[in-house]
């Protein structure tokens, strides 16, 4: 089992990256928030887990081991595979997922693309206390205040388009998220938080 990777970021796309570790390029799938932190040509360390199927072996990467734990635990729910587990973490921080479990918040889960009310109820029922109690860290994952690093909203829009949203819908949703947060631009450190906030506001809507 490959538990982590430390190497040079060789390539980054909308849902995956290639990390070069001593001459070997590892293809990893990750959330848009995790990918937004990677810089081509720079060293990076990612926590990983491998999902083995009869026809494939796929490596998933995370910013920290808490995200990885939630990803792995979520797949213990009947009908929840890697794609939905990753989508949950694209919308919510790990602690926000724990908070949703703790309060039985169906609406929080149905904001995740691909999760309807029935699946949300099943997740709440089957996960139960497996994730532990919320700690209060990262629940307010909303867009931050503007900083003098240039407007990075294009990265958020690009990530949303990669998730299947039309460009116009993505642009309008990012604009609404910024307005709701009182910010005018997306600074580099706020790309992931802005993406999470926008995905929560969009839910499963793609039209």
């Amino acid at each position: 089992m490959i538990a982590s990777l430390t190497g040079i970021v060789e390539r980054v796309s909308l849902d995956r990256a290639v990390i070069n570790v001593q001459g070997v390029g590892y293809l990893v799938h990750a959330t848009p928030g995790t990918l937004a932190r990677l810089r081509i040509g720079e060293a990076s360390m990612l926590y990983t887990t491998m999902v083995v199927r009869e026809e494939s072996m796929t490596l998933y990467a995370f910013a920290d081991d808490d995200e990885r734990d939630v990803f792995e635990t979520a797949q213990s729910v009947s009908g929840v595979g890697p794609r939905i587990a990753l989508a949950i973490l694209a919308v919510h921080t790990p602690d926000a997922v724990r908070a949703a479990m703790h309060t039985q918040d169906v609406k929080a889960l149905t904001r995740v693309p691909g999760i309807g009310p029935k699946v949300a109820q099943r997740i709440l029922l089957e996960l139960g206390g497996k994730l532990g109690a919320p700690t209060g860290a990262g629940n307010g994952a909303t867009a931050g205040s503007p900083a003098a690093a240039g407007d990075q909203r294009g990265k958020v829009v690009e990530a949303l388009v990669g998730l299947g949203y039309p460009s116009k819908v993505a642009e309008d949703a990012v604009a609404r998220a910024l307005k709701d947060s009182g910010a005018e631009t997306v600074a580099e450190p706020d790309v992931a938080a802005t993406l999470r906030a926008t995905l929560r506001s969009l839910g499963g809507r793609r039209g």
Side-chain angles (χ1 to χ4, degrees), residues 12 14 51 84 140 184:
V12 180
L14 295 175
V51 175
I84 290 181
E184 295 180 359

Side-chain angles (χ1 to χ4, degrees), residues 69-149:
D69 290 345
V70 172
F71 175 81
E72 293 175 344
T73 305
Q75 291 178 76
S76 67
V77 177
S78 174
V80 174
R83 183 183 65 82
I84 290 181
L86 202 64
I88 291 172
L89 288 167
V91 176
H92 298 294
T93 64
D95 209 55
V97 177
R98 282 190 284 267
M101 298 300 108
H102 185 69
T103 60
Q104 295 291 289
D105 190 347
V106 173
K107 288 186 178 179
L109 292 177
T110 56
R111 294 190 188 106
V112 177
I115 294 183
K118 289 184 178 179
V119 175
Q121 290 282 7
R122 188 187 312 136
I123 292 173
L124 293 175
L125 177 64
E126 295 187 23
L127 276 189
K130 290 182 180 179
L131 296 177
T135 65
N139 278 341
T142 56
S145 57

Side-chain angles (χ1 to χ4, degrees), residues 5 14 24 37 40 44 46 77 84-85 90 93 98 109 119 124 135 138 146 148 155 159 169 188 194 197 203:
L5 290 175
L14 295 175
V24 179
R37 303 176 186 180
I40 293 175
S44 183
L46 294 169
V77 177
I84 290 181
T93 64
R98 282 190 284 267
L109 292 177
V119 175
L124 293 175
T135 65
K155 290 185 178 180
V169 172
E188 188 71 37
T194 304

Side-chain angles (χ1 to χ4, degrees), residues 152-166:
Q152 302 296 317
R153 75 173 67 199
K155 290 185 178 180
V156 183
V157 172
E158 185 181 11
L160 290 167
V161 171
L163 289 171
Y165 293 95

